[in-house]
Amino acid sequence: MEQNTATIEAGVLELVRSEREKALSPREWKFRLRGYGYAVKTVGGAQVLTRLTTGAALGKLPPEFT
């Protein structure tokens, strides 16, 4: 997978942040994101948000999500 350093859209990042606040664990958070069609993958030690259907990287998640 090609590493994308692009900035994630503000609306998508807010959704990811909101779902992280609701989840009790990182595992639950990743499961919740799958319902919206997103996945979190670890690439080179960084968490990257991807589209579930295509695997396309949307960008690196900020350090607050680790």
Side-chain angles (χ1 to χ4, degrees):
M1 173 176 25
E2 180 181 319
Q3 188 168 357
N4 185 352
T5 58
T7 304
I8 301 170
E9 292 180 24
V12 174
L13 190 56
E14 184 56 36
L15 170 74
V16 171
R17 185 174 285 117
S18 171
E19 290 302 316
R20 182 63 186 111
E21 290 172 0
K22 294 175 192 174
L24 299 175
S25 69
R27 182 177 176 178
E28 180 187 357
W29 170 58
K30 291 176 183 180
F31 179 79
R32 293 175 71 96
L33 288 178
R34 291 178 69 83
Y36 292 100
Y38 298 109
V40 177
K41 298 189 180 193
T42 303
V43 177
Q47 289 187 320
V48 178
L49 186 68
T50 63
R51 291 211 181 272
L52 191 58
T53 54
T54 62
L58 300 175
K60 280 176 46 176
L61 289 171
E64 67 190 74
F65 293 104
T66 57

